[in-house]
Amino acid sequence: MESTHIGFPIETVAVFVGLAVGAILIDMFAHRDDKPIPLKSAVLWTIFWIVAAMGFAGFLYVHHGAEVASLFITGYALEKVLSVDNLFVMMAIFSWFAVPDGYRHRVLYWGVIGAIVFRAIFVTIGTGLLMLGPWVELVFAAIVGWTAVMMLKSGDDEEEIEDYSQHLAYRMVKRFFPLWPKLRGHAFLLTQHEVDAELAKPENADVTVGRDGKAARYATPLLLCLAVVELSDVMFAFDSVPAVIAVSKEPLIVYSAMMFAILGLRTMYFVLEAMKQYLVHLEKAVIVLLFFIAAKLGLNASDHFLHHGLSISASTSLIVVLVVLAMGILASFIFPEKAEEKEAEATDNV
């Protein structure tokens, strides 16, 4: 693990915050309407987020050197790749809740905001735990390796649809709010007056709400969906944060890399949704990278105990991440049999 120290220089923090906040405001203004994001627009926005990240990498290169810039890019690329699996989970969640395309970017927006907050907490805790000794890196290596093994084992069950009505987040929302069972625009919560107005409509004559009597607020299916997305992302962070910390123990490098990667996930979702049927081998690339990161953490930790002198440099890590990602994408287009077989099986089952 690289120990390059830059601390929290005021100028670097100011540039990071300025770029991030500015990009968020631009994104909010551009996607304020409840309309589906076309593939072309999603691709252009994804490029915009990558350019913003590379702009910050360029700043790091000029002010802190090539090593720091390389660590940032490696962490950024790793978080992007690992986020692919999380985005596929979000696709399944949206499908189960039957969320229209026009409302998905609204849920993703709040999901991204939650991810930014929780990543800050987890990065602070994770980098702080490293101060306790090299055994913490062994724990992180075990977490990342276990995640890779679980993904490998679950490959045959990936077509099963989870019942999200039993999800912890779903049940927690039901504990605090009665439920209005139908979407009402992009609203997450409805007042009693709004619910009464909905119940007065003829098409809602048979609709029942989740509680007898009056209530201050009612949860819509969109809030249930958001809660499941948020908690799923928190669980994902338990895997991704140790993986990125394997690149560098410097909190600013780790968090800025994760932050820029997360900011681009909202539009990247729509790109992946359109290309999911073609990227059939991308998850294999994610699994390979998780095993690589577990090995990197294990080598670094064991060096403290065995003094074998073996390590994986930042430049090597960056090359491995980019090469494995490229191979996963390339293999998906060269060997698309898996997608074709699934399509044929689905046709036979109908």
Coordinates of all heavy atoms in Angstrom, one line a residue, residues 234-283:
V234 N -24.8 1.2 1.0 CA -24.0 1.1 2.2 C -23.3 -0.2 2.4 O -22.2 -0.3 2.7 CB -24.9 1.4 3.5 CG1 -24.2 1.1 4.8 CG2 -25.4 2.9 3.5
M235 N -24.1 -1.3 2.1 CA -23.5 -2.6 2.1 C -22.4 -2.7 1.1 O -21.3 -3.4 1.3 CB -24.6 -3.7 1.9 CG -25.7 -3.6 2.9 SD -25.1 -3.7 4.6 CE -24.3 -5.4 4.6
F236 N -22.6 -2.1 -0.1 CA -21.5 -2.2 -1.1 C -20.3 -1.4 -0.7 O -19.2 -1.9 -1.0 CB -22.1 -1.5 -2.4 CG -21.1 -1.3 -3.5 CD1 -20.6 -2.3 -4.2 CD2 -20.6 0.0 -3.7 CE1 -19.6 -2.0 -5.2 CE2 -19.6 0.3 -4.6 CZ -19.1 -0.8 -5.4
A237 N -20.5 -0.4 0.1 CA -19.3 0.4 0.6 C -18.4 -0.4 1.5 O -17.2 -0.1 1.6 CB -19.8 1.7 1.3
F238 N -19.0 -1.4 2.2 CA -18.2 -2.2 3.1 C -17.1 -3.0 2.3 O -16.1 -3.4 2.8 CB -19.0 -3.2 3.8 CG -19.7 -2.6 5.1 CD1 -21.0 -2.3 5.0 CD2 -19.0 -2.4 6.2 CE1 -21.6 -1.7 6.2 CE2 -19.6 -1.9 7.4 CZ -20.9 -1.5 7.3
D239 N -17.4 -3.2 1.0 CA -16.4 -3.9 0.1 C -15.5 -2.9 -0.6 O -14.3 -3.1 -0.8 CB -17.2 -4.8 -0.9 CG -18.1 -5.8 -0.2 OD1 -17.8 -6.3 0.9 OD2 -19.2 -6.0 -0.8
S240 N -16.2 -1.9 -1.2 CA -15.4 -1.0 -2.1 C -14.4 -0.1 -1.3 O -13.3 0.2 -1.8 CB -16.4 -0.1 -2.9 OG -17.1 0.8 -2.1
V241 N -14.8 0.4 -0.1 CA -13.9 1.3 0.6 C -12.6 0.6 1.0 O -11.5 1.1 0.7 CB -14.6 1.8 1.9 CG1 -13.6 2.5 2.8 CG2 -15.7 2.8 1.5
P242 N -12.6 -0.7 1.5 CA -11.3 -1.4 1.8 C -10.5 -1.6 0.5 O -9.3 -1.5 0.5 CB -11.7 -2.7 2.4 CG -13.0 -2.4 3.0 CD -13.7 -1.5 2.1
A243 N -11.2 -1.8 -0.6 CA -10.5 -2.0 -1.9 C -9.8 -0.8 -2.3 O -8.6 -0.8 -2.8 CB -11.5 -2.5 -3.0
V244 N -10.4 0.4 -2.2 CA -9.8 1.6 -2.6 C -8.7 2.0 -1.7 O -7.6 2.6 -2.0 CB -10.8 2.8 -2.8 CG1 -10.1 4.1 -3.2 CG2 -11.8 2.4 -3.9
I245 N -8.9 1.8 -0.4 CA -7.9 2.0 0.6 C -6.6 1.2 0.4 O -5.5 1.6 0.8 CB -8.4 1.8 2.1 CG1 -9.4 2.9 2.5 CG2 -7.3 1.7 3.1 CD1 -10.1 2.7 3.8
A246 N -6.8 0.1 -0.3 CA -5.6 -0.8 -0.7 C -4.7 0.0 -1.6 O -3.5 -0.3 -1.7 CB -6.1 -2.0 -1.3
V247 N -5.2 1.0 -2.3 CA -4.4 1.8 -3.2 C -3.6 2.8 -2.5 O -2.4 3.0 -2.8 CB -5.3 2.5 -4.3 CG1 -4.5 3.4 -5.2 CG2 -6.1 1.4 -5.1
S248 N -4.2 3.4 -1.5 CA -3.5 4.5 -0.7 C -4.2 4.6 0.6 O -5.4 4.5 0.7 CB -3.5 5.8 -1.5 OG -3.0 6.9 -0.7
K249 N -3.4 4.9 1.6 CA -4.0 5.1 3.0 C -4.2 6.6 3.2 O -4.6 7.0 4.3 CB -3.1 4.5 4.1 CG -1.7 5.1 4.1 CD -0.9 4.5 5.3 CE -0.6 3.1 5.1 NZ 0.3 2.5 6.1
E250 N -3.9 7.5 2.2 CA -4.1 8.9 2.4 C -5.6 9.2 2.2 O -6.1 9.0 1.1 CB -3.3 9.6 1.3 CG -3.3 11.2 1.5 CD -2.5 11.6 2.7 OE1 -1.7 10.9 3.2 OE2 -2.9 12.7 3.2
P251 N -6.2 9.7 3.3 CA -7.7 10.0 3.2 C -8.2 10.9 2.1 O -9.2 10.6 1.4 CB -8.0 10.6 4.6 CG -6.9 10.2 5.5 CD -5.7 10.1 4.6
L252 N -7.4 11.9 1.8 CA -7.9 12.8 0.7 C -7.8 12.2 -0.7 O -8.7 12.4 -1.5 CB -7.0 14.1 0.7 CG -7.4 15.2 -0.3 CD1 -8.8 15.6 -0.1 CD2 -6.4 16.4 -0.2
I253 N -6.8 11.4 -0.9 CA -6.7 10.7 -2.2 C -7.8 9.7 -2.3 O -8.5 9.6 -3.3 CB -5.3 10.0 -2.3 CG1 -4.2 11.0 -2.3 CG2 -5.3 9.1 -3.6 CD1 -2.8 10.4 -2.3
V254 N -8.0 8.9 -1.2 CA -9.1 7.9 -1.2 C -10.4 8.5 -1.5 O -11.2 8.0 -2.3 CB -9.0 7.0 0.1 CG1 -10.2 6.1 0.1 CG2 -7.7 6.3 0.2
Y255 N -10.8 9.5 -0.7 CA -12.1 10.1 -0.7 C -12.3 10.8 -2.0 O -13.4 10.7 -2.6 CB -12.4 11.0 0.4 CG -13.8 11.5 0.5 CD1 -14.9 10.6 0.6 CD2 -14.1 12.8 0.3 CE1 -16.2 11.1 0.6 CE2 -15.4 13.3 0.3 CZ -16.4 12.4 0.5 OH -17.7 12.9 0.5
S256 N -11.4 11.6 -2.5 CA -11.5 12.3 -3.8 C -11.7 11.3 -4.9 O -12.5 11.6 -5.8 CB -10.4 13.2 -4.0 OG -9.1 12.5 -4.1
A257 N -10.9 10.2 -4.9 CA -11.1 9.2 -6.0 C -12.5 8.6 -6.0 O -13.1 8.5 -7.0 CB -10.0 8.1 -5.8
M258 N -13.0 8.3 -4.8 CA -14.3 7.7 -4.7 C -15.4 8.7 -5.0 O -16.4 8.4 -5.7 CB -14.5 7.1 -3.3 CG -13.5 6.0 -2.9 SD -14.0 5.2 -1.4 CE -15.2 4.0 -2.0
M259 N -15.2 9.9 -4.6 CA -16.2 11.0 -4.8 C -16.4 11.2 -6.3 O -17.5 11.2 -6.8 CB -15.7 12.3 -4.1 CG -16.5 13.5 -4.4 SD -18.0 13.5 -3.3 CE -18.4 15.3 -3.5
F260 N -15.3 11.4 -7.1 CA -15.4 11.7 -8.5 C -16.0 10.4 -9.2 O -16.7 10.6 -10.2 CB -14.1 12.0 -9.1 CG -13.7 13.5 -8.9 CD1 -12.8 13.9 -8.0 CD2 -14.4 14.5 -9.7 CE1 -12.5 15.3 -7.8 CE2 -14.1 15.8 -9.6 CZ -13.1 16.2 -8.6
A261 N -15.7 9.2 -8.8 CA -16.3 8.1 -9.4 C -17.8 8.0 -9.1 O -18.5 7.7 -10.0 CB -15.6 6.8 -8.8
I262 N -18.2 8.3 -7.9 CA -19.6 8.3 -7.5 C -20.4 9.3 -8.3 O -21.5 9.1 -8.7 CB -19.7 8.4 -6.0 CG1 -19.2 7.2 -5.3 CG2 -21.2 8.7 -5.6 CD1 -19.0 7.4 -3.8
L263 N -19.8 10.5 -8.4 CA -20.5 11.6 -9.1 C -21.0 11.2 -10.5 O -22.0 11.7 -11.0 CB -19.7 12.9 -9.1 CG -19.5 13.6 -7.8 CD1 -18.5 14.7 -7.9 CD2 -20.8 14.1 -7.3
G264 N -20.2 10.4 -11.2 CA -20.6 10.0 -12.5 C -21.5 8.8 -12.6 O -21.9 8.4 -13.8
L265 N -21.9 8.2 -11.5 CA -22.7 7.0 -11.5 C -24.1 7.2 -12.1 O -24.7 6.3 -12.7 CB -22.7 6.3 -10.2 CG -21.4 5.7 -9.6 CD1 -21.7 5.0 -8.3 CD2 -20.8 4.8 -10.6
R266 N -24.7 8.4 -11.8 CA -26.1 8.6 -12.2 C -26.2 8.5 -13.7 O -27.2 7.8 -14.2 CB -26.5 10.0 -11.7 CG -28.0 10.2 -11.9 CD -28.6 11.1 -10.9 NE -28.3 12.5 -11.3 CZ -29.2 13.5 -11.4 NH1 -30.4 13.2 -11.2 NH2 -28.8 14.7 -11.6
T267 N -25.4 9.1 -14.5 CA -25.5 9.0 -16.0 C -24.9 7.6 -16.4 O -25.4 7.1 -17.4 CB -24.8 10.1 -16.7 OG1 -23.5 10.3 -16.1 CG2 -25.6 11.4 -16.4
M268 N -23.9 7.1 -15.7 CA -23.3 5.9 -16.1 C -24.3 4.7 -16.0 O -24.3 3.8 -16.8 CB -22.1 5.6 -15.2 CG -21.3 4.3 -15.6 SD -19.9 4.1 -14.5 CE -19.4 2.4 -15.1
Y269 N -25.3 4.9 -15.1 CA -26.3 3.9 -14.9 C -27.1 3.7 -16.2 O -27.3 2.6 -16.6 CB -27.3 4.3 -13.8 CG -28.6 3.5 -13.8 CD1 -28.7 2.3 -13.1 CD2 -29.7 3.9 -14.5 CE1 -29.8 1.6 -13.1 CE2 -30.9 3.2 -14.5 CZ -30.9 2.0 -13.8 OH -32.1 1.2 -13.8
F270 N -27.4 4.8 -16.9 CA -28.2 4.7 -18.1 C -27.4 4.1 -19.3 O -28.0 3.5 -20.2 CB -28.8 6.1 -18.5 CG -29.8 6.6 -17.4 CD1 -29.4 7.4 -16.4 CD2 -31.1 6.1 -17.5 CE1 -30.3 7.9 -15.5 CE2 -32.0 6.6 -16.5 CZ -31.6 7.4 -15.5
V271 N -26.1 4.4 -19.2 CA -25.2 3.8 -20.3 C -25.2 2.3 -20.1 O -25.3 1.5 -21.0 CB -23.8 4.4 -20.2 CG1 -22.9 3.7 -21.2 CG2 -23.8 5.9 -20.5
L272 N -25.0 1.8 -18.8 CA -24.9 0.4 -18.5 C -26.2 -0.3 -18.7 O -26.3 -1.4 -19.2 CB -24.5 0.2 -17.1 CG -23.0 0.4 -16.8 CD1 -22.7 0.2 -15.3 CD2 -22.1 -0.6 -17.6
E273 N -27.3 0.4 -18.4 CA -28.7 -0.2 -18.7 C -28.9 -0.5 -20.1 O -29.4 -1.6 -20.5 CB -29.7 0.8 -18.2 CG -31.1 0.1 -18.1 CD -32.2 1.1 -17.5 OE1 -32.2 2.2 -17.9 OE2 -32.9 0.6 -16.7
A274 N -28.4 0.4 -21.0 CA -28.6 0.2 -22.4 C -27.6 -0.9 -23.0 O -27.9 -1.6 -23.9 CB -28.3 1.5 -23.2
M275 N -26.5 -1.0 -22.3 CA -25.4 -2.0 -22.8 C -25.3 -3.2 -22.0 O -24.4 -4.1 -22.2 CB -24.1 -1.2 -22.8 CG -24.1 0.0 -23.7 SD -22.4 0.7 -23.9 CE -21.5 -0.6 -24.7
K276 N -26.2 -3.4 -21.0 CA -26.0 -4.5 -20.1 C -26.0 -5.9 -20.8 O -25.2 -6.8 -20.5 CB -27.2 -4.5 -19.1 CG -27.2 -5.7 -18.1 CD -28.3 -5.7 -17.1 CE -28.3 -6.8 -16.2 NZ -29.5 -6.8 -15.2
Q277 N -26.9 -6.0 -21.8 CA -26.9 -7.3 -22.5 C -25.7 -7.6 -23.3 O -25.4 -8.7 -23.7 CB -28.1 -7.2 -23.5 CG -28.0 -6.1 -24.5 CD -29.2 -6.1 -25.5 OE1 -29.7 -7.2 -25.9 NE2 -29.7 -4.9 -25.8
Y278 N -24.8 -6.6 -23.5 CA -23.6 -6.8 -24.3 C -22.4 -7.0 -23.3 O -21.4 -7.6 -23.7 CB -23.3 -5.6 -25.2 CG -24.4 -5.3 -26.1 CD1 -25.2 -4.2 -26.0 CD2 -24.7 -6.2 -27.2 CE1 -26.3 -3.9 -26.8 CE2 -25.8 -5.9 -28.1 CZ -26.5 -4.7 -27.9 OH -27.6 -4.5 -28.7
L279 N -22.4 -6.4 -22.1 CA -21.3 -6.5 -21.2 C -21.4 -7.7 -20.3 O -21.4 -7.6 -19.1 CB -21.2 -5.2 -20.4 CG -21.1 -3.9 -21.2 CD1 -21.1 -2.7 -20.3 CD2 -19.8 -3.9 -22.0
V280 N -21.5 -8.9 -20.9 CA -21.8 -10.1 -20.2 C -20.7 -10.6 -19.4 O -20.8 -11.5 -18.5 CB -22.3 -11.2 -21.2 CG1 -23.7 -10.8 -21.7 CG2 -21.3 -11.5 -22.3
H281 N -19.4 -10.2 -19.7 CA -18.3 -10.7 -19.0 C -17.6 -9.6 -18.1 O -16.6 -9.9 -17.5 CB -17.2 -11.2 -20.0 CG -17.7 -12.4 -20.8 ND1 -18.0 -13.6 -20.2 CD2 -17.9 -12.5 -22.1 CE1 -18.4 -14.4 -21.2 NE2 -18.3 -13.8 -22.4
L282 N -18.3 -8.5 -17.9 CA -17.7 -7.4 -17.1 C -17.6 -7.8 -15.7 O -16.7 -7.4 -15.0 CB -18.5 -6.1 -17.3 CG -17.9 -4.9 -16.8 CD1 -16.5 -4.6 -17.5 CD2 -18.8 -3.7 -17.1
E283 N -18.6 -8.5 -15.2 CA -18.6 -8.9 -13.8 C -17.4 -9.8 -13.5 O -16.9 -9.8 -12.4 CB -19.9 -9.7 -13.4 CG -20.0 -10.0 -11.9 CD -21.4 -10.5 -11.5 OE1 -22.3 -9.7 -11.5 OE2 -21.4 -11.6 -11.1

